[in-house]
Structures are given as C-alpha cells and as structure tokens.
Amino acid sequence: MSRQMLRYLNPVFPHDFPDPFVLKYCGEYWAYCSGLRSDGGAFGILRSRDLVNWQEVGSAMPPLPGGYSCYWAPEAIVENGIVYLYYSVGDEATMQIRVAVAESPAGPFVDSGHRLTQEPFAIDAHVFTAPDGRRYLFYATDYLEHERIGTGTAVDEMIDLFTLAGRPRPVSRARYDWQIYDPQRAEKGGVRWHTIEGPFVLTRKGLFYQMCSGGNWQNPSYGVGYATTATLDGPDEWQQACDGESVMPVLRTIPGEVIGPGHNSVVRGPDNRQLYCVYHRWGGEGGRQLAIDPLDWAGPRLFVAGPSFTPQAGPLLPALTDWFDGPELDEGWRATGGTWRVAGNAVHVEPDAGQTAALTSEIGPLPFLLQVSARAQNDADGRYGLSLRAGEMELLRVELSPGRASGALVWPDGATAPLDLPAGFRFPVFHLLSVEVDGPQVGVSVDERPLLHRRLAGAPTAVALCATGLTASFAGFALTVGWEDNFDRRDGPVGGEWVGGGGNGWAIQNRQLVFDGPDEGWLRRGPALDNYELVINARLLDAGGSYGIAPVLAADGSGPLLTVGAADGRWLAHWRDGDASQGLPLPSGFDALKDNQFRLRKEDGRLTIHWEEHLIGTVAVAVAAGQIGLVASRAAFDMARLTAMTHSP
C-alpha cells in the first residue's frame, strides 16, 4: 500500500469565481459564484470530490427578463430532493433577494417567481437551519440612520422556503474603523460609508456564530470577522468579536501575498469532520479566485488557518470511499440477495423475491463516521437503509419504509425507535444517512437533523447497504475512521472510552474536560493507529498549571509527551521522548490561559506539530501504532479529535 496524501496551494481554482458558496450533496462538492458567465447564463458552477481539484460545469440559470446587470452571491440548500438557489439581482443601486429551484445541483435552475425581501437594497442571502428545525434568512442591507452609516446584516425567520415572516432585525451593523468601505463615498452623497456583508452562520456548544466580510478589499484592514449570540430570537445585535485592533479579523489581507480574502462560506471536508472556509481572494487579472483553508474553534474563539499562500496539507480523506462510478463494484464489497449494478455515480439494487439484498464491507472494530445517500426508486411497500454487523449478528439497522412513510432504528431483538422524518418526506429522492460509532455509543441522523443516540450490544465489524421488497439506490459512500469528543455532555464524570488515573479530579464542567485535582491526572484512549491527525484544544486554569499531549502511548503507558506550561515568566512548549528533550517555539501572543489548538500529524514515523496555523516542530516518533493520552495539572480541554490518515492502493 502506498500513501497518497492530498496537498493544495491557493487559489485552488485560479480563475474568476467571486463570492463562492459550496454545497455538499451525495458526497460531492458543488460551488456557485456571482455574475453573468461566458456562456450567457448567470452564476458559474464548479464540481469537485475533494475541495482541491475542480471542474467547470457551466452556469446555473438563464438571466431574468428585465435586463438586470447584477447577479450576486448565490447560495444553495437541498430540501427533500429539490435544490433551492437563493440569490440577489438588480442594478447595484437596488437589489432584491429571490429563489430559484432545480432537481439537481447542476441545474438548470428556474426562478420561482418569489421575491423574499422588501428593502430597496438586499444582498448576500444565507439560509440557516437552527437545531430546532426553524429556518432563518440572513442577508445584508443598508442602515442609513445608524451612527456608522452603511451596509450591515439582518435576519428574518422563514415561514417557508419562499416566504419571510416580514420582521427583519439587525444582526451586525458597523462598529469599528476596519469596517469602513469609503470615508467619502461619492455615490452615497459623500458620507463615511461602512460595509458588513456576506453573512454565514454556524453553531457550536450553545453559541451561534455569524461570519461576515467587512471594509473594502482594496484596504489592508479588509477581512472576515464574526459575531456571536446565545439566542436567535433576541432583540439585540450580536456581539462582534473582531475590533480590528486588539482582535483582528479571522481572514485578512497579507500585503504582498494575499489581497482581499472575503465573502466566505463553510463546508465539511471529505472526512465529514473538519470544516473548511471557502472564500475568494483577488488575483489581479484573474479576478476573485477560489481559496480554501481549515476552520475550527478553540473554546469559544473561531479561527481560520489562513489565508494560506504556501503549499498546505490537504483535506483528510475517508478510510473508505466509493462513488459507485463503475463499471463494476470495487473490491471489498460482498453482494448478496439481489441484483446489484453500478450506473450514474450510484449503486442500484433489485432484491430477490422475499430476500433482503445486502452490499457488505468489512471495517474492523474501530470508531467511525459513516455517511451515504440513499433513495427508493418508488413508494413501494418495502424498506431500505444500512446495517451495522458484528460477524453474523446484526447490531443495528437504519431503515426507511416508503409504504409506511416512516423511518426507524431496529435492534436485534426486534425493538424499534422511530427516526424523526419531516412531514412530506419524499422517499424516491436521495437523503443523507449519517451513522457515528464510538465504543458502544451510536448516533444516527437523516439529512443532518439532530443525532439520535443509542447503545450497541457490541462493536461493529462490518457495514451493509440493504433493501427488502423494493429497488433502492445508494451514492457517495464515505467512512472515516476516528472519533471526536467535544465534551458537551452534561456535567459529571468523564466516562465514555477514556480511561486513566491520577485521582478523581477529572470531570466534565461547562462543556469542557477539566482536571483540577491537587496532583497530576492522565487519561488515554484508542484505537491504536499507525498514521493519523490528532487535534487537541486546551487551556490552563491558572498560571501554575500545565497540560500535556501524548501522541503515541505504548501498552505500558510510556511514550513521548508534548507539554505546555510556564517557566521563567513565559509560556513554553516542551517535547520529551525518553532521555531526549527539546523546547518548541511558541509564537508571540500565545497565552496558555486561553483556549489554544494543537494539531499533530503522525505519518510513517514523523510527527508534525502545529499551534493553529503555525508549524512549531517536526520530530521522530515510533512507527508502531499507539493510543493517545492527555496529562493535566489544573487544565481544561475543549475538544479532542482523532482521524485516521488514509492509504490508497
């Protein structure tokens, strides 16, 4: 087996592609951009399977009647098999937000006839679905009575996919000088004009984050900042995190290297764990070009490891991927109980009469995240979905039943738990099934609705795509080996797959893993992997504390250790492996009392260590597989994530 690691260099699409939005559908990426294109249509479309290599598809839709000159900022969502494209159109002085529909991300899209906004100027639509299922439209509009005149962002709840409630309220209006677009904007009467635009909303640990671009791309202060709130329905504006002085935007111009990074969207990478910020940057005659960089959090702080302009380690790939683009099934699948055929980037099955057809792949007893899109060919009285198995025993079946208009989790004893499917759920279109297994815990969701958690009777060693009594199709199979723990369970003991010692000082407190005992505590967990990426968020509870990350623990608990603590009045990172030790440089501004992220990649006996986007060391480590460990004295951990790095034959 030879290793094939993905790498990238921004821009990943070195041609004009302004205001990029990326949709992930059936495992593939579809990017949309502003403007009329060379084929005469509006909104360019690109397609990719890895976020790095892109192919042009064409344009999304024909221009509307009326001779509009501006087609800006398209964003797409998929609901029940229909793709909805939200966009702004007008003559630049006046703009409105509309929505078009299509049956495929490739289009062609047809305008629905619905205008959503009533303001004279409304651009940059972003649809956000809250954890409770409600939808909100975020967009940018002008605030002419605000003390800092200019464009800011607003939000309105959506009654349906074509209609707003009609009660917009401000989210972010200009507060800082870095958001100045023009100190004397002539077309606005010479006023000091500010701009905040391009909203994109995320949520983590009870907070909502709105990313948005501010200022003028021609100014060094231009970039992407963010604001937060604990509620979507409050009357107050969100709290802006970036003042442009003490806290800089998370993306900003780097003179001589990167000009005008902005108007971003966010999408999950191929491993379905790591988020990526997708944005444009100015490339001279090449216009605004497509770029990507990892996005993450350290505690409540959102950050982007960019804008990068040198070769970067690429997105991690799943351990198992199948696009079913044939002409035959890949090795590793075992087909039983029906006729399986590959066509059109999907695998289709017709079960034998009275039999359950299954397409099975062995995975070994490892933690994993599995995603696959599935659909029935019709509304026949049967069922389809996926199954987790240990040998001949079925541990869990996730099944959708068109004839009953329902979904369920089915256990070995026949007991069932209903899946939350919305009214009008269309079974003959692709829906995303997600299954996450970590030890005895399994989480299942459909179309990224909140996970339904249960316990398994054993560790799965195989997964199967299956159908009974109807023809079904599956697309975009991806299985990532590894786990992620955000420590967002309710306060109490650590539990789960963590084992360790050092007293009883370990606990989950305020959505963090905390050790505040008088001595030193340690925890460890598996699985033992040869090559992987380990990401740890940590902070000290006080200046006398310390924490450590053990990336390769042997069975007896020995192994190298990266530690962070204070010495001689400054923060130090230290690497120790047996009798050998060395200090690792921490960038200026590092503060161990705040949440920080360390990213360690172990690959064939070498370990690269990053503090966020900064490389701080490369060291040799044991080639053999090992578990990982955490060590603490008065410290807290906000997140831990382990992802196996894939091999390709």
Side-chain angles (χ1 to χ4, degrees), residues 301-376:
R301 175 174 57 92
L302 180 152
F303 70 92
V304 178
S308 70
F309 53 89
T310 58
Q312 301 291 307
L316 294 180
L317 303 176
L320 297 173
T321 306
D322 204 329
W323 303 106
F324 302 117
D325 46 10
E328 302 292 336
L329 284 169
D330 289 346
E331 293 183 8
W333 289 110
R334 178 169 55 89
T336 58
T339 301
W340 294 86
R341 59 185 179 85
V342 175
N345 293 339
V347 61
H348 313 277
V349 59
E350 297 177 8
D352 293 336
Q355 299 293 316
T356 294
L359 188 65
T360 305
S361 177
E362 303 295 326
I363 57 172
L366 294 167
F368 63 84
L369 171 62
L370 165 63
Q371 291 196 347
V372 66
S373 295
R375 67 180 176 92

Side-chain angles (χ1 to χ4, degrees), residues 69-91:
S69 57
C70 299
Y71 289 79
W72 291 353
E75 286 207 10
I77 66 168
V78 179
E79 175 67 20
N80 232 356
I82 303 298
V83 188
Y84 298 82
L85 191 74
Y86 294 83
Y87 65 96
S88 43
V89 63
D91 60 7

Side-chain angles (χ1 to χ4, degrees), residues 204-267:
R204 180 181 188 264
K205 290 195 177 186
L207 280 181
F208 298 94
Y209 294 75
Q210 177 201 243
M211 302 180 74
C212 48
S213 302
N216 187 320
W217 72 269
Q218 300 174 87
N219 299 331
S221 60
Y222 178 83
V224 174
Y226 69 92
T228 63
T229 185
T231 176
L232 292 172
D233 298 319
D236 298 329
E237 290 189 32
W238 295 21
Q239 182 65 44
Q240 295 186 38
C242 307
D243 61 12
E245 296 179 1
S246 60
V247 180
M248 303 303 292
V250 296
L251 282 177
R252 61 186 184 275
T253 289
I254 302 176
E257 300 290 355
V258 181
I259 304 300
H263 198 107
N264 74 287
S265 59
V266 180
V267 70

Side-chain angles (χ1 to χ4, degrees), residues 130-133 419-420 444-453:
D132 63 6
L419 284 172
D420 180 23
V444 179
S445 71
V446 179
D447 291 336
E448 299 187 289
R449 287 175 171 80
L451 287 171
L452 178 62
H453 290 279

Side-chain angles (χ1 to χ4, degrees), residues 25 31 44 49 53 142 154 162 212 214 246 282 316 331 362 370 451 458 501 549 592 605 617 629 633:
Y25 178 70
R49 287 182 171 175
N53 300 287
D142 288 346
F162 303 104
C212 48
S246 60
W282 285 84
L316 294 180
E331 293 183 8
E362 303 295 326
L370 165 63
L451 287 171
I549 304 169
S633 173

